[in-house]
Amino acid sequence: MTRDTTTVTADLRTDRALRLGFASRSPTIEREESVLLARLEGATGWRLDTLIVAPGRRPAARPLSMRAVAALCRIVSGAEQIVLRRLPGGVAGMHWRARSIRSDRESLERDFATVRIVDGARASIADDECPTLIITRDEALHRELHERYAAAHWLIIDLGVPASLPGLIGFDAVFDGDDRSGFRIRLVRPRNEGQLTVLTGGNRTKLLAVLNRAALWDRLGSCLQTLMHNGLPTRVERSDEAPAFAPACAPVTWTTALRLLAYPAVAALRIARIVLARRQWSVAVGVGDPLAGDTVGMAHLQAQAGRFYADPQLERAPDGRLHCFVEEFDHALGRARIAVLAEQPDGGWQRLGIALDEPHHLSFPYLFRYQGQLYMCPEAYTSGRITVYRCTEFPLCWEPASVIMDDVCAADSMLVEHGGMWWLLTNIDNGQAPDHQAELHVFHAVSPLATDWRALPANPVKVDPRGGRNGGLFVADGALYRCGQKHSIDAYGKGLALYRITTLDVQGFSEAFVCDMPVPASLRASGTHTLSVSGGSFAIDVLR
């Protein structure tokens, strides 16, 4: 595959205030869209300026199939909300049940400074009255109105379904069992001077359609916050490979209605299979090349009852003995700490104790060296910060060295020196119910202990649950490799994908897919999501 990618920044920051517009067929819109706009105003400094309403055909004039589908969507959403109140909390993906998910509609008329009802007149709006940026999910509206609002940038959100049927958002992915629910964001420049792709991405598909729809709107909100902070950097990609997400809306027919009728049985079977699986995480350590399946001497490390091990990170002591730092989740505590296990002369492993314990959850104890000292950057997104700890006495004594980033919801952070600078690769989610399984962000600074990290203009550099979340980092033959976690609709930690980082500088980030990592057959595991390599040894976590 050949790919040519350039990055351009839209000129949105003019002398005028940053004014946000929204174009719709009705001032009453789905609650998720209303929440998205409110979040953008509160988090980015933009002002909700103009609501543009261009009434379309009356609902009664729509084809009978579309009216039937709209009615079935409302019935399915209502039934799912009832089911959510009765499902066990431990079901995969059901942490979304904590969010208030309603299928009602809200009026935007009180939120915007100006409400314009567009009639048949074609008079253009004066440049100084135009919003800086107009957001819409209706492609037809842009075609109708772009000449009238010629001085505005248009941001078109494409979710692959007709704007008139928001209840279908994310439905097909759930019904078909797709691991990824896709979206695309496009930017049209003023006076129609060019259309560019801002971002093509995806979210891990949730188990129920109502959850998946809410998750997609949450991901859009998180991505748009970052993009608008950065001045809307736009990617122009030319490739001989078909895009990962085809944004064209499929026609709504009676087949869609039949799928909605069959959906309850499909969803119930999938949820029952997950509930009955009762899988558990553990860690395996071995010798060889796990990417090629060439492994020997696999040691399976399991926690005692009521706990599990995951996210292994290997480190050798000064005496050469191999140690494994792990997330040790304690069900009684409801959170995890960082524990250490050490290899014994007879080949067995012994738990030495707890290396790091905080009032909040800790996992992914990423280890690195700086100026001859050992440091750890554990995942602690519930703390709202990224903290680096210094080892004062190996392996159980650590102290905080620097809060390198504050007021951030970040997971699975990795630090590496490359090209004379330090790089932070982390998974940030600004959503209301973050899951950190898709968005990869990259920052740079002069030191891993710095507090002034600078974001790449193209952040987020990747939005995909099939490799976006970090699962490990190592150097081999002079090249830098990143492991990306692959998640599916019914499994957190379906597997790992290996990428070779081809570009890492202040202008951008790119990586090339190398291979999928097979779980060693001897472990009889169904998944993994972390790899650590140390010399000829490696460690992975396994789902069994």
Side-chain angles (χ1 to χ4, degrees):
M1 181 189 75
T2 60
R3 184 181 295 273
D4 180 21
T5 302
T6 59
T7 299
V8 184
T9 300
D11 183 19
L12 296 183
R13 300 193 176 278
T14 64
D15 293 336
R16 295 183 295 151
L18 294 175
R19 301 183 302 182
L20 192 64
F22 183 77
S24 176
R25 296 289 181 187
S26 167
T28 303
I29 64 172
E30 295 300 311
R31 181 173 179 269
E32 288 92 346
E33 293 176 89
S34 161
V35 170
L36 172 68
L37 293 170
R39 285 174 55 194
L40 292 180
E41 181 183 39
T44 64
W46 290 63
R47 177 168 62 90
L48 298 183
D49 182 72
T50 306
L51 173 64
I52 305 164
V53 181
R57 290 188 300 171
R58 293 175 301 163
R62 291 188 297 175
L64 181 59
S65 60
M66 291 189 69
R67 282 182 280 156
V69 166
L72 285 171
C73 283
R74 290 193 294 270
I75 294 171
V76 167
S77 294
E80 285 185 317
Q81 291 174 55
I82 295 173
V83 170
L84 280 174
R85 293 194 290 267
R86 290 167 171 77
L87 277 177
V91 177
M94 292 298 107
H95 58 279
W96 272 85
R97 69 200 289 256
R99 173 178 169 170
S100 174
I101 299 173
R102 302 198 307 268
S103 57
D104 57 344
R105 297 173 68 86
E106 293 187 355
S107 175
L108 290 177
E109 291 179 290
R110 291 179 299 177
D111 299 331
F112 284 83
T114 303
V115 178
R116 295 187 184 274
I117 308 297
V118 178
D119 53 23
R122 291 293 178 183
S124 296
I125 301 297
D127 287 5
D128 60 354
E129 295 180 5
C130 259
T132 314
L133 179 71
I134 300 174
I135 296 178
T136 187
R137 202 177 68 78
D138 194 328
E139 173 74 25
L141 265 181
H142 166 255
R143 290 196 298 268
E144 292 176 23
L145 301 175
H146 75 272
E147 291 183 0
R148 185 182 180 101
Y149 291 89
H153 291 77
W154 284 77
L155 200 66
I156 302 171
I157 297 174
D158 195 339
L159 290 162
V161 299
S164 58
L165 289 173
L168 282 181
I169 294 173
F171 170 77
D172 284 340
V174 179
F175 187 90
D176 295 331
D178 293 338
D179 296 338
R180 178 180 182 269
S181 298
F183 62 84
R184 186 174 71 165
I185 303 172
R186 288 176 291 152
L187 181 75
V188 183
R189 295 182 180 279
R191 295 173 177 83
N192 218 25
E193 293 177 353
Q195 184 175 135
L196 304 172
T197 298
V198 174
L199 185 66
T200 300
N203 209 44
R204 178 191 174 194
T205 303
K206 305 300 178 184
L207 290 173
L208 295 177
V210 68
L211 295 175
N212 202 40
R213 183 169 68 246
L216 273 168
W217 280 112
D218 217 36
R219 178 66 56 215
L220 281 167
S222 178
C223 291
L224 281 174
Q225 281 182 226
T226 301
L227 292 168
M228 290 168 71
H229 271 303
N230 292 348
L232 280 174
T234 57
R235 289 89 160 160
V236 186
E237 295 189 356
R238 293 178 293 277
S239 170
D240 57 9
E241 182 183 76
F245 170 64
C249 297
V252 176
T253 64
W254 286 107
T255 300
T256 307
L258 292 175
R259 286 164 66 89
L260 283 163
L261 289 171
Y263 167 70
V266 172
L269 287 172
R270 183 177 293 128
I271 292 171
R273 186 172 65 248
I274 294 171
V275 171
L276 297 174
R278 297 184 180 275
R279 295 169 177 167
Q280 184 69 289
W281 286 98
S282 57
V283 167
V285 183
V287 177
D289 183 0
L291 300 175
D294 177 20
T295 59
V296 296
M298 297 291 296
H300 188 208
L301 314 181
Q302 289 183 292
Q304 64 186 45
R307 302 178 183 180
F308 68 76
Y309 293 149
D311 294 348
Q313 296 289 317
L314 294 178
E315 182 67 27
R316 290 193 179 274
D319 62 5
R321 189 165 57 142
L322 193 63
H323 289 68
C324 187
F325 291 74
V326 297
E327 168 198 353
E328 182 183 81
F329 190 92
D330 189 327
H331 291 284
L333 291 175
R335 59 179 174 84
R337 301 173 293 182
I338 305 302
V340 186
L341 299 97
E343 188 177 26
Q344 302 302 300
D346 61 0
W349 286 79
Q350 177 185 357
R351 180 183 181 276
L352 300 183
I354 297 297
L356 203 58
D357 187 8
E358 297 282 11
H360 47 263
H361 176 80
L362 295 170
S363 62
F364 199 76
Y366 181 79
L367 301 170
F368 67 96
R369 291 190 175 274
Y370 174 60
Q371 294 183 343
Q373 288 189 292
L374 181 64
Y375 291 86
M376 180 197 300
C377 183
E379 184 266 295
Y381 83 90
T382 56
S383 70
R385 54 180 55 181
I386 303 175
T387 304
V388 171
Y389 296 81
R390 180 187 298 107
C391 183
T392 57
E393 184 178 346
F394 188 84
L396 296 178
C397 296
W398 299 78
E399 65 179 12
S402 177
V403 176
I404 64 172
M405 197 171 289
D406 208 352
D407 192 25
V408 63
C409 188
D412 295 356
S413 302
M414 305 189 302
L415 292 141
V416 64
E417 188 176 17
H418 177 79
M421 303 184 71
W422 277 87
W423 298 89
L424 169 65
L425 285 69
T426 188
N427 297 107
I428 292 178
D429 192 332
N430 295 311
Q432 295 182 311
D435 62 11
H436 299 100
Q437 293 166 26
E439 285 184 53
L440 177 62
H441 295 241
V442 180
F443 302 83
H444 59 88
V446 297
S447 159
L449 306 181
T451 57
D452 57 346
W453 292 85
R454 300 187 62 181
L456 289 188
N459 277 343
V461 297
K462 192 184 190 93
V463 185
D464 197 333
R466 305 165 306 181
R469 183 164 180 170
N470 290 324
L473 190 72
F474 62 92
V475 176
D477 299 325
L480 190 59
Y481 290 87
R482 186 184 73 90
C483 296
Q485 299 180 15
K486 298 175 64 178
H487 302 290
S488 69
I489 183 173
D490 56 2
Y492 170 79
K494 179 181 180 180
L496 284 170
L498 182 67
Y499 301 90
R500 184 179 69 257
I501 296 177
T502 54
T503 302
L504 184 58
D505 57 37
V506 296
Q507 298 302 317
F509 169 92
S510 64
E511 59 186 9
F513 174 76
V514 177
C515 66
D516 288 321
M517 176 189 165
V519 181
S522 61
L523 295 174
R524 299 178 181 176
S526 60
T528 180
H529 67 4
T530 307
L531 168 68
S532 177
V533 177
S534 179
S537 300
F538 73 94
I540 60 172
D541 50 11
V542 292
L543 185 62
R544 300 175 64 173

